[in-house]
Amino acid sequence: MARRGTGLLSAGGVGGSVAAFAGGAVVALIASRLLPPLFAQAAGSVSGRDPFAALADDHRHIMALLTEMEQTPQNATFRRTQLLLRLKRRLAAHALAEEDVVYPLLHDRAHEEGDTRRLYGEHADMKMHLSALERMPKDDPDWLGRVTELKMLIAEHIHQEEAVDFPKLRDALGRRAIARLSGNVRREKALLL
Ligand SMILES: [Fe+2]
Ligand SMILES: [Fe+2]
């Protein structure tokens, strides 16, 4: 007896509704990935929120997460995993914005080639620390030490950005370029947050 197809590509029946659902899910996924950046770009160009203040807010948030991680007891493995995931997401969105829109301007407009390479390199170091923290058992006696190392690296990196490189970039950019940067930072972060 011939069986009616129920695969994803069959028309009608269970297969059809699954296909329709899958199609809807794909559309929703694409919309969720594309629309926030578009809205963010529009909002950024209208509100013109200072991009350097927004990046400094991220810094405070990231440092607060690291402090929370440092305060966890050795047996709080679930909490450590949660905090690490939150840190990874925040740091990834922040780093994406800096690497894709801020650092290229620091290189091309503020002509800080050496500082730019150093900052990119420090982001790479942070990612290696994060990867090590993910791979380690969360009750490993060395876990907290690795968190503290990452925190010190990030604290120094943040200081370099806020005290040296962001002010140089601000001075190198005009008002319109800063407004454009604000929209671009929001758009990049919205890709991941
Ligand atoms: Fe950075
Ligand atoms: Fe930063």
Side-chain angles (χ1 to χ4, degrees), residues 56-77:
D57 280 353
D58 288 345
H59 291 164
R60 303 286 89 75
H61 201 112
I62 287 163
M63 289 302 286
L65 281 171
L66 284 157
T67 300
E68 268 193 80
M69 286 165 73
E70 277 187 322
Q71 290 166 350
T72 52
Q74 192 173 355
N75 63 357
T77 54

Side-chain angles (χ1 to χ4, degrees), residues 98 103 123 157 161:
E98 289 185 339
Y103 295 171
H123 278 196
H157 179 87
E161 288 181 339

Side-chain angles (χ1 to χ4, degrees), residues 96-138:
L96 186 71
E98 289 185 339
E99 290 171 14
D100 287 4
V101 301
V102 179
Y103 295 171
L105 288 174
L106 185 67
H107 185 277
D108 295 344
R109 298 285 299 272
H111 306 292
E112 291 296 337
E113 289 86 356
D115 283 11
T116 305
R117 286 181 193 284
R118 172 185 157 179
L119 294 173
Y120 275 120
E122 287 172 353
H123 278 196
D125 291 342
M126 289 173 207
K127 285 169 190 173
M128 284 192 276
H129 276 287
L130 276 180
S131 168
L133 282 168
E134 266 192 313
R135 281 180 280 119
M136 283 167 91
K138 302 303 171 282

Side-chain angles (χ1 to χ4, degrees), residues 16-77:
S17 44
V18 169
F21 174 77
V26 169
V27 169
L29 181 67
I30 291 170
S32 73
R33 286 294 167 200
L34 287 180
L35 291 180
L38 293 176
F39 282 132
Q41 195 167 29
S45 60
V46 172
S47 73
R49 194 188 167 206
D50 184 81
F52 302 108
L55 292 168
D57 280 353
D58 288 345
H59 291 164
R60 303 286 89 75
H61 201 112
I62 287 163
M63 289 302 286
L65 281 171
L66 284 157
T67 300
E68 268 193 80
M69 286 165 73
E70 277 187 322
Q71 290 166 350
T72 52
Q74 192 173 355
N75 63 357
T77 54

